[in-house]
Amino acid sequence: MYSIPRPDLSSSIFSKLAQNCHNSSRLNDTHDYEIILKRGIKREWAEANCQTSSISDASLMLGYEAKSEGIMLESAEYSQWQFKPDTPWESKDGSKPKYRTPLGEYDIFLAKHPEIKAYWRDLEALKARCFTIDGKPYLLITEGGFKAIMGCQHDIPTVALVGVTMGLTPKSKGEPDLVPGLKRLAEAGFGFIIAFDADATTNKNVRIAEAKLTKVLKSYGCPVLSVTGHWKKEGGKGMDDFIQKNGIEAFRAILRKAHPVDSESRDTGDCNKKAKFPSSDAMAREIAEDYRDRLRFNNTNLCWYRYEADSPGIWSPETDEYIESVVYQIVKSKGLTNLPPAYIGATVRFLRHELIERQWKSRADLLPFQNGALEIATGKLLPHSPGYHFTWTLPRAHCAVASDWHKIEAWLDFATQGNQHVKNLLIAFCNAVLKGRADLQKALHLIGIGGSGKGSFCRLVIALIGIENTHSSSLDDWSGNRFEVAQAYEKRLLLFPDEDKGARQLSKFKQVTGVTGSGRKKKARSPSNSSLAVW
């Protein structure tokens, strides 16, 4: 287990709210699911920027009565909040806004970095992190806090407006000017890329707001580009949806083709015109250059793999059909339409030649955790890298200070009746499962009456390695069902629980452990390169 640091609650309002917070997590189960699983925001970013807010707390922060609990998003540098009610309520004008902002003055929303506290204060360091075009650092401007969090977590510093018109001061203040937070960044010499939602191409008000914001930004000498409308709504309404559906590299490809807001090609909707497209092999080479660290073809099992599709640092298998869909979205993001039916399929075949891996070898000296790769020899946690070729992960983050295991040790002492030799064997087996020591060619056979601890130890090993890395079978199925070996492929642990006495053909089981019928050892032919058996 590990604890996630809570963000700074220095403001008076958040201090009051903190007094009422009795849970270790800032998010209830519903909001945790919505933000992390549905929206694809990493847990550390979600915990740093969002919290579940009751009706009374939301009312306190908004300055008017809230009628639903929901998610409160808190800005890093400025007192700007955005509230997403679980059940939107009707305003006086009859609308039901999905998001609410506090009464009074407003500012930009800046996502809190979970580790770098001076992320938005150290402007020179911020420039180094920015997306650059011709050596110029550009910040993204979008609408909505969740989109800003998504951009920042993918190392693209992103500023969010709480409404498309709310990058400028209200008319009641006189001639429109940039809101304070945006003004500070404009005066610091940043360029800006505007990335409003895809439906802006059919929403005249959004285009007008973008033009007005651009005009004021340019008055500060800032270069301003736009990717608003450079992808279709089917690819994702907002930039966060687009990144989730198509991947961050597809979005980076769009940013590299950002246009000036007032250019002729932008205003005439050039991105939707028919374009002369390159040959399939040329397109495959271009995609391979951009996605070499995201897509690979595994020649060992003749399957496509995609990096971090499901878990950080992990390559996940994908079907040919899904890869064709990914390539299709990438090609569309380049502004190419009206493609011949065979174009995508041919591009994927050429792409396979560019990205094929003859032998897929994972780093055996590292253990994949959710927050990095642990170097077994040194105990050092390394950042994830595509080059490690991990296809599995332990279902938890590594915590260097977690060293207390007295409860487990006490149970082992009890289960082994103080027999240190048996205890060492059990611990050694856990170590072998964790490190994938199939080369030992060993199986652990647990014998005992009911309640003696056999099932508890099996559950302990499953908790250690993760249920997703475990396959449970029976000797009858393993010997007679031809699909069982396929089910155990790439599993770290193979279990045969509660086996009864009986004559069986055990040749397939012996192949897993490397023991021949005469008792001699041979090289293990396990269903994966790291499978061990508990019988």
Side-chain angles (χ1 to χ4, degrees), residues 242 245-247 250 253 279-288 291 295-296 304-306 318-336 339 342-352 355:
F242 182 89
K245 288 187 177 182
N246 307 283
S279 63
S280 294
D281 62 331
M283 176 59 71
R285 289 194 299 270
E286 184 178 338
I287 294 174
Y291 290 84
L295 295 174
R296 293 289 175 88
W304 279 100
Y305 275 73
R306 189 160 62 102
E318 301 286 9
T319 63
D320 291 342
E321 290 77 11
Y322 188 81
I323 292 300
E324 285 192 11
S325 175
V326 170
V327 171
Y328 176 62
Q329 295 298 334
I330 294 172
V331 172
K332 282 206 309 180
S333 73
K334 297 177 182 293
L336 304 180
L339 302 171
Y343 184 83
I344 298 299
T347 301
V348 171
R349 289 193 292 273
F350 280 117
L351 189 62
R352 184 173 65 235
L355 300 179

Side-chain angles (χ1 to χ4, degrees), residues 1-3 369 374 396-406 408:
M1 296 293 291
Y2 68 101
S3 60
F369 285 85
L374 182 68
R396 58 186 176 274
H398 177 262
C399 180
V401 298
S403 58
D404 182 10
W405 68 300
H406 71 278
I408 296 175

Side-chain angles (χ1 to χ4, degrees), residues 6 56 95 98 139 153 160 181 239 246 251 254 257 320 333 348 399 405 440 448 462 484 507 514:
R6 294 175 66 83
S56 59
S95 63
K98 293 181 179 179
L139 292 169
Q153 80 172 20
M239 59 174 277
N246 307 283
F251 187 65
I254 286 178
K257 296 185 178 182
D320 291 342
S333 73
V348 171
C399 180
W405 68 300
L440 297 177
I462 292 173
E484 278 298 293
S507 60

Side-chain angles (χ1 to χ4, degrees), residues 140-301:
L140 261 66
I141 298 180
T142 188
E143 180 196 11
F146 286 121
K147 299 181 183 71
I149 297 170
M150 178 67 81
C152 290
Q153 80 172 20
H154 285 291
D155 299 322
I156 302 177
T158 306
V159 173
L161 311 182
V162 291
V164 291
T165 64
M166 297 173 77
L168 302 177
T169 55
K171 293 180 180 180
S172 59
K173 297 288 185 179
E175 188 68 23
D177 195 5
L178 299 176
V179 293
L182 194 56
K183 184 175 182 179
R184 171 176 172 264
L185 296 171
E187 291 176 338
F190 289 91
F192 295 90
I193 301 176
I194 301 176
F196 289 154
D197 289 355
D199 60 355
T201 54
T202 58
N203 190 328
K204 180 180 179 181
N205 293 330
V206 175
R207 297 198 302 274
I208 292 174
E210 183 181 62
K212 289 181 177 179
L213 178 61
T214 299
K215 181 179 179 181
V216 179
L217 284 170
K218 286 186 174 182
S219 71
Y220 282 83
C222 302
V224 183
L225 305 175
S226 176
V227 292
T228 301
H230 281 212
W231 68 90
K232 293 185 178 180
K233 191 175 179 180
E234 298 78 50
K237 182 174 179 288
M239 59 174 277
D240 53 341
D241 303 320
F242 182 89
I243 292 171
Q244 254 200 300
K245 288 187 177 182
N246 307 283
I248 186 60
E249 295 307 320
F251 187 65
R252 290 183 190 275
I254 286 178
L255 294 181
R256 284 191 284 270
K257 296 185 178 182
H259 291 292
V261 175
D262 57 355
S263 69
E264 180 180 353
S265 62
R266 173 70 181 89
D267 287 343
T268 57
D270 183 62
C271 60
N272 292 320
K273 286 185 177 182
K274 294 182 180 179
K276 184 179 180 180
F277 42 85
S279 63
S280 294
D281 62 331
M283 176 59 71
R285 289 194 299 270
E286 184 178 338
I287 294 174
E289 186 68 25
D290 293 335
Y291 290 84
R292 194 168 298 278
D293 288 339
R294 295 288 168 178
L295 295 174
R296 293 289 175 88
F297 186 81
N298 184 345
N299 188 61
T300 303
N301 58 9

